[in-house]
Amino acid sequence: MEDRERFVELIRALPLVSVDLVLVRDGREVLLGLRNNRPAQGWWFVPGGRILKNEKRADALTRVAARELGIADIHALKPAFLGPFEHFYADCFAGDNGVSTHYVVLGHRIDVPAGFEIPGSDDQHEALRWWPIAEALGSDRVHRFTQDYLPLLG
């Protein structure tokens, strides 16, 4: 069986564990990316990714921050654990093929100062943008799972 097919079968049977990076600039704005990939394709969402087998949560934060945002040392910014969340999607990375995705997400708040800019981005996002928190909370373009974090940022 191909690796892709095998992974789809794992997603069919098991939840994935992931980390989300909720970057808050100057206490007023949250960083969101316009997702290119499923699930949540086409939605504004916080950066994040699954934890790999035998990878520590701290190492997953480092890998995701470096890959998706170009931030080499996320731990220097002192991520604070927001808690566990659950995300349920009707589709998976492989498309709308009848396989849903269940994530157990470990959310992390990362405060950055006014004027902080993201060093880079990857192909996960069409664009990255700082959103005023109140605007993101009220937007029908921001995914509801991302909006779940926003009341915790005040």
Side-chain angles (χ1 to χ4, degrees), residues 30 44 71 77 90 94 103 116 148 152:
V30 63
W44 289 93
I71 299 173
L77 299 173
Y103 281 98
F116 183 88
D148 287 346
L152 304 174

Side-chain angles (χ1 to χ4, degrees), residues 113-132:
F116 183 88
E117 293 299 332
I118 300 302
S121 66
D122 71 353
D123 61 357
Q124 296 287 323
H125 305 103
E126 180 179 321
L128 293 171
R129 177 181 151 203
W130 291 102
W131 287 66

Side-chain angles (χ1 to χ4, degrees), residues 4 8-9 11-12 38 90-100:
R4 179 180 170 98
V8 168
E9 289 309 308
I11 291 171
R12 182 188 310 275
R38 292 178 182 260
D91 62 351
C92 75
F93 80 96
D96 188 8
N97 59 1
V99 177
S100 65

Side-chain angles (χ1 to χ4, degrees), residues 3-4 7-8 10 15 37 40 47 63-64 75 77 79-80 85 89 93 96 103 107 110 116 122 127 136-137 146 148:
D3 285 344
R4 179 180 170 98
F7 190 48
V8 168
L10 290 172
N37 303 320
R63 178 179 51 79
V64 171
H75 296 285
L77 299 173
F85 298 82
Y89 301 95
F93 80 96
D96 188 8
Y103 281 98
I110 300 142
F116 183 88
D122 71 353
L137 189 56
T146 286
D148 287 346

Side-chain angles (χ1 to χ4, degrees), residues 25-58:
R25 186 166 70 174
D26 195 30
R28 299 178 298 120
E29 299 173 303
V30 63
L31 181 72
L32 303 180
L34 184 58
R35 285 190 51 82
N36 284 328
N37 303 320
R38 292 178 182 260
Q41 183 179 37
W43 288 93
W44 289 93
F45 213 99
V46 294
R50 69 185 174 91
I51 298 175
L52 303 175
K53 175 76 175 175
N54 295 321
E55 183 178 44
K56 294 180 180 179
R57 178 172 49 126

